Amino acid sequence: MERPAWAPRSIDISVPSVSRIYDYYLGGSHNFEVDREAARRAMEFLPGLPKIMQANRAFTRRAVRYAVDEGITQFLDIGSGIPTFGNVHEVAQAACPGARVVYVDHDPVAVAHSEAVLAGNADAGVVAADLRKPREILSSPEVRGLIDLNRPVALLLVAILHFVEDADDPYEAVAELRDALAPGSLLLLTHASYEGIPLPPQRAEGAVDVYKDIRNPLIMRSRAEIARFFEGYDMVEPGLVPMPQWRPETAPEDEDPYAFSGFAGVGRTA
């Protein structure tokens, strides 16, 4: 398999990557056949996976524009993945030139590609770090140089927490990040769930097993379990809802049924 210029020498391109699988679902070009094969296996059980990812990305764009409308000009996107068209820095900086964005990911491919996309953008940066280690993120030179934690920040945890197992205490990590934010900050969050999937859970479990097979377990949490991540936040209307129902720009009833799989919400620190 020929290694393209954008793939760091340090990564094993024969092993599927969650970031590259997500890129494939969104129609991106930064993926390999091993990623596409894993994605197709998952889609045998859950054929609407691309629609779910598209709804996830559409929510992110709406929520970022909402944050800018609320006067927030700083964005910390943890678990950002491979930047594709309409990513956070593009949306935020189009709505507010000079908005500052820091991407965080532990996938070397996502980090390398982010660095290439952000070259020459003085108001955006990328950190190679893990959500499970908030202190490393908050103390990184990129965050300290671009983000003023004494002012409100939009913290994005989009399609990332369902890859953190309970044994790694994702609730504690989210609480630690919350406690570092200034009053008026926002948490923008999406999370996978069996609730809302237009298939029997037993069939959807087949897709979950594919992620387990590639050693990236997908943790499907209930709405109540997802709501716990917002402890210490005041929920922004309409609350924690299926992704197309969060401040929609088009009629939700026109959306593909798979788009309603999982939940999205925004919370504000007091």
Side-chain angles (χ1 to χ4, degrees):
M1 184 187 305
E2 185 175 350
R3 182 184 298 269
W6 53 262
R9 304 296 304 180
S10 59
I11 69 165
D12 184 349
I13 61 176
S14 68
V15 176
S17 153
V18 166
S19 293
R20 298 194 307 263
I21 291 171
Y22 187 81
D23 178 70
Y24 172 72
Y25 288 142
L26 290 175
S29 59
H30 289 83
N31 50 77
F32 300 114
E33 180 55 31
V34 67
D35 307 303
R36 296 187 285 272
E37 199 278 329
R40 289 191 290 265
R41 281 172 50 213
M43 289 169 62
E44 289 176 7
F45 300 98
L46 200 54
L49 276 166
K51 292 294 183 183
I52 297 172
M53 305 312 168
Q54 291 163 20
N56 188 82
R57 179 53 60 90
F59 160 79
T60 302
R61 290 194 293 266
R62 297 195 306 274
V64 167
R65 287 194 290 265
Y66 169 81
V68 171
D69 289 343
E70 292 294 299
I72 292 181
T73 60
Q74 305 185 107
F75 296 82
L76 180 59
D77 185 357
I78 302 178
S80 50
I82 296 172
T84 55
F85 177 74
N87 214 317
V88 173
H89 74 281
E90 293 177 335
V91 176
Q93 292 176 351
C96 177
R100 295 188 166 193
V101 178
V102 175
Y103 292 121
V104 180
D105 209 291
H106 65 64
D107 185 331
V109 172
V111 172
H113 191 54
S114 298
E115 289 173 341
V117 168
L118 299 175
N121 189 331
D123 293 317
V126 58
V127 179
D130 194 313
L131 168 63
R132 294 168 294 186
K133 299 177 180 179
R135 292 181 187 176
E136 291 185 11
I137 295 171
L138 297 170
S139 63
S140 67
E142 293 83 2
V143 169
R144 292 202 311 266
L146 284 170
I147 303 293
D148 180 359
L149 292 174
N150 294 312
R151 295 173 45 238
V153 175
L155 169 64
L156 288 90
L157 299 176
V158 174
I160 178 62
L161 287 164
H162 47 235
F163 291 114
V164 183
E165 298 180 83
D166 288 341
D168 290 319
D169 202 352
Y171 295 103
E172 176 59 29
V174 173
E176 190 170 338
L177 289 164
R178 177 201 64 213
D179 292 345
L181 301 179
S185 293
L186 297 176
L187 170 61
L188 286 52
L189 182 150
T190 66
H191 198 297
S193 176
Y194 286 123
E195 298 177 37
I197 294 179
L199 285 174
Q202 294 83 358
R203 180 167 176 80
E205 282 176 6
V208 173
D209 288 341
V210 171
Y211 281 90
K212 189 182 300 180
D213 289 344
I214 64 171
R215 299 180 182 179
N216 281 280
L218 181 60
I219 313 302
M220 305 290 269
R221 296 187 171 97
S222 68
R223 184 184 182 281
E225 290 171 324
I226 298 166
R228 282 184 55 201
F229 289 115
F230 286 96
E231 288 182 1
Y233 290 90
D234 296 325
M235 294 301 296
V236 171
E237 289 294 332
L240 185 62
V241 295
M243 292 177 287
Q245 294 179 359
W246 196 90
R247 299 182 176 242
E249 296 170 347
T250 57
E253 56 268 24
D254 293 338
E255 293 281 353
D256 186 284
Y258 279 99
F260 295 84
S261 308
F263 292 95
V266 174
R268 178 182 285 106
T269 56

